[in-house]
Amino acid sequence: MSLLPAVPASRTLGSSGLAVSSIAWGMWRLAEGGRTTAEAARLVHAALDAGITLLDTADIYGFNGTDGFGAAEALLGEVLTAEPGLRSRMVLATKGGIMPPLPYDQSNEYLNAAIDASLKRLKTDTIDLWQVHRPDILAHPQDVARTLDAAVAAGKIRALGVSNFTTAQIAALNHFLGNKLVATQPEISPLRIDCFENGELDQAMQLGLTPLAWSPLSGGRLANPAGERRLAVAAALDAVAAKAEVSRSVAAYSWLMAHPAGIVPIIGSQQPERIAEAAQALTVRWTRTDWYAVLVAARGVPLP
Ligand code: NAP
């Protein structure tokens, strides 16, 4: 049985010219549990040592419903202040556009203030990838595009992305942008397979966007699956994991990476050993049969 193509260790983020690892590390959970700067630095080192150069955060990470807005960015900023040499080793991605606790705000005034605040917390002059976190239905895409293009022109942002946008919202914003989108960040995992068939990944390939998969283990649900469907998906992953001598998590990352859109899973673990282990995903090769077996388990119904 022939194998799907091997995944390169690095790729270019859309048309940005920015080289990134094929695996990213996310900091949604970084500020949980009162982590110290030294503990956060250990995780950043674990990612970089594993060859992971794309690091994803957001201004809202750390927000607990009442306070903590900016806490994850601020913690990373402290790490970068303590070790300034780390900044050039990473492609730094963050997001904004959620006005805590809600709603979403992509007005010129709010976004400009949000971008400036992120730069300040992260203790950096430039954000490599700035992503609109969630679509603001009340913002005209032409106005959003003007704001974002101006931030790029001012040198505050190098490249632009979106997260949780529909295909139509991506097309509309991209139409008005001078600096075209280079990335999109939907939820994708073996338990969240919508984008394989709803056009999101097809659009990403058409527009040359790098898809960054958030919650690639479904927020950890894949590690402790409950219920018939999740157990079936876990079993289909385990069959390949056993052959490749890797964990189920690694098999899950590699399953996403085998897609032709070049999906980059954003590892969510905040444990150095698990971050390091993720790099093994580059070694796992899938047959078409095994890949579809996971998809069919996730669909819960056979292919037509
Ligand atoms: P995930 O990889 O699906 O889940 C990670 C969670 O699973 C962690 O709490 C981890 O705990 C746990 N886990 C349990 N067993 C594990 C195992 N064997 N291996 C690895 N992890 C295991 O990812 P996520 O944290 O939900 O999300 C990943 C990243 O996606 C975030 O950091 C963020 O950058 C991005 N994100 C974006 C959005 C958006 O709207 N754009 C939303 C959510 C997330 P331990 O830490 O103890 O390992």
Side-chain angles (χ1 to χ4, degrees):
M1 178 73 66
S2 65
L3 297 168
L4 296 177
V7 174
S10 73
R11 57 181 72 253
T12 306
L13 198 57
S15 58
S16 67
L18 292 168
V20 294
S21 51
S22 297
I23 302 170
W25 177 59
M27 287 168 273
W28 178 25
R29 306 168 192 272
L30 182 70
E32 285 174 6
R35 229 171 235 111
T36 63
T37 307
E39 287 165 343
R42 202 166 148 240
L43 298 178
V44 171
H45 276 283
L48 294 173
D49 291 350
I52 297 174
T53 59
L54 178 58
L55 272 61
D56 181 67
T57 187
D59 58 9
I60 202 155
Y61 292 172
F63 183 66
N64 63 11
T66 43
D67 51 24
F69 185 87
E73 282 189 339
L75 193 48
L76 181 60
E78 287 170 22
V79 172
L80 294 175
T81 302
E83 281 185 80
L86 290 177
R87 177 65 186 90
S88 61
R89 294 176 61 194
M90 65 180 69
V91 172
L92 178 54
T94 193
K95 322 176 191 74
I98 302 178
M99 188 173 65
L102 282 173
Y104 313 133
D105 192 341
Q106 284 156 37
S107 62
N108 177 275
E109 190 184 24
Y110 182 82
L111 285 191
N112 279 332
I115 292 165
D116 286 346
S118 286
L119 285 167
K120 205 169 162 193
R121 281 189 294 264
L122 290 164
K123 305 279 195 296
T124 188
D125 297 333
T126 310
I127 292 158
D128 296 314
L129 175 67
W130 192 88
Q131 304 152 100
V132 187
H133 206 150
R134 287 193 176 270
D136 173 9
I137 289 159
L138 295 178
H140 194 298
Q142 188 167 25
D143 296 334
V144 178
R146 276 200 197 106
T147 303
L148 297 180
D149 276 332
V152 174
K156 296 176 182 180
I157 293 171
R158 292 176 75 185
L160 297 166
V162 292
S163 184
N164 306 301
F165 271 45
T166 65
T167 50
Q169 288 165 338
I170 288 175
L173 179 59
N174 214 39
H175 170 76
F176 290 114
L177 279 170
N179 298 278
K180 298 297 182 194
L181 297 170
V182 303
T184 178
Q185 187 177 139
E187 181 179 4
I188 323 176
S189 78
L191 294 178
R192 184 65 182 256
I193 55 168
D194 311 32
C195 67
F196 291 115
E197 298 187 64
N198 72 3
E200 283 181 64
L201 291 174
D202 305 286
Q203 182 191 43
M205 290 186 279
Q206 186 178 4
L207 297 179
L209 312 179
T210 300
L212 309 177
W214 67 259
S215 290
L217 302 179
S218 189
R221 283 178 201 87
L222 259 183
N224 295 299
E228 198 181 333
R229 174 176 169 266
R230 290 181 192 171
L231 285 166
V233 172
L237 288 168
D238 285 348
V240 172
K243 277 188 269 185
E245 299 183 332
V246 296
S247 68
R248 183 189 303 154
S249 306
V250 169
Y253 304 143
S254 68
W255 185 76
L256 298 175
M257 291 158 71
H259 190 278
I263 296 173
V264 172
I266 310 175
I267 310 310
S269 177
Q270 307 294 303
Q271 294 193 33
E273 303 73 24
R274 286 178 173 170
I275 296 169
E277 182 198 30
Q280 294 171 12
L282 287 165
T283 67
V284 183
R285 298 285 298 275
W286 285 81
T287 64
R288 201 167 277 275
T289 305
D290 286 340
W291 196 93
Y292 270 103
V294 176
L295 187 81
V296 168
R299 285 166 59 103
V301 288
L303 293 169

